[in-house]
Amino acid sequence: DVKVTQSSRYLVKRTGEKVFLECVQDMDHENMFWYRQDPGLGLRLIYFSYDVKMKEKGDIPEGYSVSREKKERFSLILESASTNQTSMYLCASSLFAKNIQYFGAGTRLSVL
Amino acid sequence: EDKVVQSPLSLVVHEGDTVTLNCSYEVTNFRSLLWYKQEKKAPTFLFMLTSSGIEKKSGRLSSILDKKELFSILNITATQTGDSAIYLCAVEANTGNQFYFGTGTSLTVIP
């Protein structure tokens, strides 16, 4: 079974802090994605990566950056957390030629 | 603007009922439509549809795509409390691994 692991289920941070959300997948997938999920807005794509060191902006990249130094790991970085970044963050991965995304359990981030 | 719209937003039914969830889309360069089930954890894959009119079926769940009218439905028959979840619809575009998600339908099945 594909496993996508997000490092934290719950995280509480203060405004202005630098926040790292980590995601690791164990199936050698080329593609990895970061979404945020908010009530009434569904899943919105922040960034995705289709290869090591490659990244593409999604629909809402402002205030976020990403890092993909190794194929299995995709990190989401909030350079200076703000209260409007309080949300559920979901990581996903997929094979390059396949459409099915496999999701992690999510990180619920609260920024106070 | 590409978008995916799901309806209804929420639904409460009794065990044994049949439900139909809707997903309509306006996405340039459509490639596939996917359904996911999200309980209090990671969304899990249910179906992927690429061809119009071909029903995908898994147990009590089935789904079909209409590419002419740009929508899909997810049917659940003989619902059980374990079917309570948010059901997400996503459409993939041909352009660079881009997926568009709907807001989801929250289904609650009461005994």
Side-chain angles (χ1 to χ4, degrees):
Chain A
D1 276 355
V2 176
K3 194 163 183 184
V4 179
T5 304
Q6 293 185 230
S7 53
S8 306
R9 288 300 307 274
Y10 301 95
L11 213 51
V12 179
K13 296 291 181 181
R14 296 206 174 274
T15 303
E17 278 192 79
K18 190 168 185 175
V19 182
F20 292 87
L21 302 183
E22 306 285 348
C23 175
V24 177
Q25 49 95 2
D26 66 357
M27 283 301 292
D28 203 34
H29 284 174
E30 286 85 0
N31 296 341
M32 296 189 76
F33 306 81
W34 274 106
Y35 295 90
R36 63 178 282 176
Q37 185 177 26
D38 301 287
L41 297 176
L43 270 72
R44 292 180 292 165
L45 182 65
I46 304 171
Y47 269 97
F48 67 97
S49 167
Y50 51 88
D51 202 352
V52 175
K53 296 194 186 295
M54 304 301 288
K55 60 185 179 184
E56 292 284 342
K57 292 180 180 179
D59 299 316
I60 51 164
E62 296 80 17
Y64 303 94
S65 62
V66 290
S67 171
R68 193 159 180 209
E69 296 296 319
K70 293 185 178 181
K71 191 175 185 180
E72 67 271 19
R73 187 181 295 269
F74 192 35
S75 303
L76 179 69
I77 304 154
L78 287 65
E79 294 288 342
S80 177
S82 63
T83 54
N84 63 12
Q85 292 178 309
T86 292
S87 186
M88 168 70 88
Y89 290 88
L90 289 166
C91 173
S93 72
S94 71
L95 277 173
F96 187 72
K98 293 278 188 183
N99 319 69
I100 302 167
Q101 294 186 344
Y102 296 88
F103 285 86
T107 296
R108 189 167 290 283
L109 172 67
S110 296
V111 182
L112 306 178
Chain B
E1 184 186 337
D2 295 314
K3 63 180 179 181
V4 175
V5 178
Q6 291 186 246
S7 64
L9 289 181
S10 64
L11 197 53
V12 180
V13 300
H14 287 96
E15 267 191 320
D17 287 351
T18 293
V19 298
T20 298
L21 310 183
N22 303 292
C23 175
S24 64
Y25 62 91
E26 293 176 24
V27 174
T28 311
N29 297 315
F30 172 91
R31 182 175 179 185
S32 66
L33 185 145
L34 298 94
W35 284 97
Y36 290 87
K37 177 182 181 182
Q38 184 179 22
E39 297 168 270
K40 293 187 188 299
K41 50 184 179 176
T44 52
F45 170 75
L46 294 174
F47 297 113
M48 181 175 74
L49 302 141
T50 55
S51 301
S52 215
I54 298 176
E55 186 183 50
K56 292 283 183 89
K57 196 170 171 65
S58 176
R60 296 176 293 104
L61 277 68
S62 64
S63 183
I64 197 159
L65 173 68
D66 186 328
K67 287 170 78 172
K68 184 180 175 187
E69 299 298 327
L70 308 183
F71 77 91
S72 173
I73 60 171
L74 176 68
N75 276 322
I76 309 174
T77 59
T79 51
Q80 302 171 357
T81 54
D83 295 325
S84 296
I86 296 173
Y87 290 84
L88 298 168
C89 173
V91 173
E92 185 192 17
N94 257 325
T95 49
N97 295 300
Q98 187 74 299
F99 288 83
Y100 300 92
F101 280 82
T103 54
T105 293
S106 175
L107 173 66
T108 302
V109 182
I110 53 179

